[in-house]
Amino acid sequence: VVGESATTLGEQVVRTATREQLVTVTDAARRAAEGLLWRAGQVGVQVRRATRLQSQLKEAGSAGVQQLVSELVKAQPPGQLCAHDVHTTESVCGRLRPDLVVTLGPQLLPNSTVLVVDLKRQDGSYNSPAHIHQLASYGVALLDQLPATSRSKVLLAVTDLRRIQFLCVTRQASGGFSYQLSAEMDEAIPALCAALLAPPQRYGASPPPELKLAGQAVELVSFLGAGATSSVYECRLPNSQGEAEAVAAKVPLEPHTTSHEQRVLQELAAAGEGCPCIPRIMGMLDNNKGLLLAPVGKPLAAEGMLTDHPRLFNGFGGLVHALREAHERGWVHRDVRPDNLVLVGESSLYLIDWGCATQQDEEPIPASSFCGTIKYASDRVLQLLAAKSDQLDARPEDDLQSLVKAMWAVSHPLEAQVLAPVGKQKFSNLLKTWQDVMLGHPVWSRLMDAAAAAQYDAVAQGLADRFD
């Protein structure tokens, strides 16, 4: 993972070279008392005491490394940095669950994560190649959730509370990741204190956004996801009865980038009774910091959606009806994909992220200006992209075919892996891949034909049948 000549982080991580200097840093951490992971040095003392009493701590169990740190984390006072026992909370690494995450502020967010820690038993090789590989996978999973403009590096550590090794994972501008592994340090607690005393921005961490509505702070709960232009957070907002209601805050990376989506949603909401299964605007954040949208759902791309929600098939009628309503009002979504299809309750499907939507009568654009997710683009769009056409327009049947492709990928996760290696510019390869897929699934192929003919009812019924 790290290559044959791993780079020593040394000064970057610890900023000191000798053990005496590390002890000095620990003393400074005690005096500063800034709510570090081992606040005021007392936690460090407890860890050392426990280690001396039982010099071969196991990884798990009532007397293991993980349980020891978990108990210490629960007792930590509030401060600038907050440590989370990920075994009892959500993870910032997607489906992967490291042992400990240190963040700026109390929210567990990938962009405000200062350090990710994996805890290992003391009677084995805590930093084996397999453990370093595991650590690297945490870093990649965390960065993969975020656009490169939001964050490009993260600091991680693996330790048995006596020794420690740090790993810095960096996303390369050309694609892929690079890995820098520090030298092994045999004073884990001072090294951790020194790393946490360093400026968080050094490894890409940034404070959570301050969100306000009409001058009042909006309670930020969790991170929902991010795209090329914005990040989305779950928040709590008091409703008319004074009860907290879950809303999604869509915060753009650049100001004013949500104004187009705001216009689309307002137009759809103003038409008659509005479009069902399309988010409604609950408010505009102060200083043009984004939109508050409701309801909040779970993306169909999430693991276990089909097994955990057996009545999912009931939602396709409303979803396809929402697309038809939007199309009749002139709008084409252009980015229908699993991440933009969310389940609310047990069977209500919503189509979110209308930032790529365009009017059907808009002037065609060149292929180089394509907006959307190429993996789920309709066959017609893929043909135009492969031909490098300058007449790329938006049609309702494109949304319907993208919906069929997205739902095939959700229901066939293993087979859908054939889509991953197809490069973004190899449009003809991707088109051929989808054609081969449909040859092996004649029922889905008929659904694609119905979508290409804009047969809304046939698409809705066909999808419901597939998931019943």
Side-chain angles (χ1 to χ4, degrees):
V1 175
V2 299
E4 293 183 0
S5 57
T7 303
T8 300
L9 289 179
E11 293 181 357
Q12 291 179 284
V13 173
V14 185
R15 302 170 65 191
T16 52
T18 67
R19 183 174 304 176
E20 290 73 22
Q21 288 173 311
L22 288 175
V23 173
T24 301
V25 171
T26 308
D27 292 336
R30 290 196 192 97
R31 294 192 302 271
E34 287 288 336
L36 299 176
L37 177 58
W38 281 267
R39 186 173 175 84
Q42 294 178 3
V43 176
V45 172
Q46 294 179 54
V47 171
R48 288 172 181 272
R49 187 174 299 154
T51 302
R52 283 199 299 270
L53 291 175
Q54 186 176 356
S55 59
Q56 297 296 323
L57 291 176
K58 302 295 183 181
E59 182 173 330
S62 59
V65 172
Q66 294 176 356
Q67 181 63 27
L68 173 63
V69 173
S70 177
E71 293 301 321
L72 296 173
V73 167
K74 292 176 184 176
Q76 67 175 348
Q80 180 189 13
L81 299 182
C82 185
H84 307 265
D85 175 8
V86 181
H87 294 100
T88 57
T89 62
E90 294 296 322
S91 175
V92 293
C93 301
R95 300 172 182 174
L96 305 179
R97 303 184 73 83
D99 296 316
L100 200 69
V101 173
V102 182
T103 59
L104 284 169
Q107 295 89 8
L108 196 62
L109 308 173
N111 46 358
S112 64
T113 295
V114 176
L115 181 66
V116 176
V117 184
D118 215 19
L119 301 166
K120 299 300 180 184
R121 61 195 299 168
Q122 294 182 337
D123 59 350
S125 178
Y126 79 101
N127 61 346
S128 67
H131 292 161
I132 297 298
H133 181 278
Q134 183 181 34
L135 200 65
S137 67
Y138 293 148
V140 170
L142 185 146
L143 294 175
D144 263 347
Q145 301 173 81
L146 302 169
T149 50
S150 171
R151 182 168 193 170
S152 61
K153 63 173 66 174
V154 62
L155 181 65
L156 309 99
V158 60
T159 179
D160 61 1
L161 297 186
R162 293 185 300 183
R163 303 156 296 173
I164 190 169
Q165 224 171 347
F166 291 92
L167 178 71
C168 183
V169 179
T170 303
R171 178 170 23 207
Q172 300 298 301
S174 57
F177 297 88
S178 64
Y179 308 90
Q180 291 178 297
L181 188 66
S182 77
E184 181 181 20
M185 304 171 196
D186 59 4
E187 291 286 346
I189 303 306
L192 276 168
C193 287
L196 295 173
L197 277 170
Q201 294 77 9
R202 172 173 295 177
Y203 295 101
S206 59
E210 295 182 2
L211 308 178
K212 292 185 177 182
L213 179 66
Q216 298 297 313
V218 176
E219 180 189 356
L220 196 157
V221 178
S222 65
F223 174 81
L224 293 177
T229 60
S230 61
S231 297
V232 183
Y233 304 90
E234 181 179 352
C235 301
R236 293 284 184 268
L237 194 67
N239 58 22
S240 56
Q241 287 78 36
E243 301 173 346
E245 180 179 358
V247 295
K250 188 167 186 177
V251 181
L253 301 179
E254 298 292 338
H256 310 296
T257 53
T258 58
S259 57
H260 173 69
E261 183 170 13
Q262 178 186 356
R263 174 198 164 201
V264 175
L265 294 178
Q266 286 175 337
E267 286 192 16
L268 293 177
E273 298 180 356
C275 292
C277 302
I278 292 176
R280 60 186 185 275
I281 298 177
M282 304 298 291
M284 291 291 300
L285 292 168
D286 294 356
N287 302 317
N288 294 316
K289 283 196 172 180
L291 298 170
L292 290 177
L293 304 168
V296 176
K298 189 174 183 180
L300 293 189
E303 187 175 12
M305 288 297 288
L306 298 186
T307 54
D308 295 343
H309 302 278
R311 302 196 64 80
L312 180 68
F313 65 91
N314 283 335
F316 289 109
L319 177 65
V320 174
H321 179 64
L323 271 177
R324 188 202 296 253
E325 291 281 313
H327 294 159
E328 289 177 352
R329 287 161 176 77
W331 290 104
V332 177
H333 187 280
R334 293 202 298 177
D335 195 17
V336 181
R337 55 189 171 96
D339 286 318
N340 286 340
L341 296 165
V342 300
L343 180 66
V344 178
E346 287 301 314
S347 60
S348 293
L349 289 171
Y350 276 71
L351 179 58
I352 65 172
D353 194 359
W354 288 76
C356 281
T358 186
Q359 283 282 345
Q360 298 175 42
D361 57 3
E362 289 283 340
E363 288 293 324
I365 60 174
S368 58
S369 301
F370 169 78
C371 181
T373 304
I374 190 64
K375 186 186 296 186
Y376 302 105
S378 70
D379 288 352
R380 187 188 72 87
V381 168
L382 288 176
Q383 289 170 350
L384 291 172
L385 293 174
K388 299 182 180 179
S389 171
D390 59 358
Q391 296 294 311
L392 184 60
D393 57 349
R395 299 181 185 178
E397 52 266 34
D398 298 331
D399 280 351
L400 288 174
Q401 276 208 337
S402 292
L403 176 61
V404 173
K405 289 183 176 183
M407 295 316 303
W408 177 86
V410 168
S411 59
H412 298 76
L414 294 179
E415 291 180 72
Q417 292 179 9
V418 300
L419 303 172
V422 181
K424 186 175 181 180
Q425 300 303 318
K426 299 177 181 178
F427 305 119
S428 58
N429 288 5
L430 184 55
L431 177 60
K432 178 65 165 55
T433 299
W434 273 115
Q435 290 172 340
D436 291 342
V437 164
M438 293 304 161
L439 281 175
H441 296 83
V443 176
W444 285 91
S445 180
R446 288 194 292 272
L447 269 178
M448 286 287 287
D449 293 339
Q455 297 173 358
Y456 293 90
D457 293 340
V459 171
Q461 187 60 53
L463 288 175
D465 292 342
R466 301 283 69 71
F467 286 84
D468 187 351

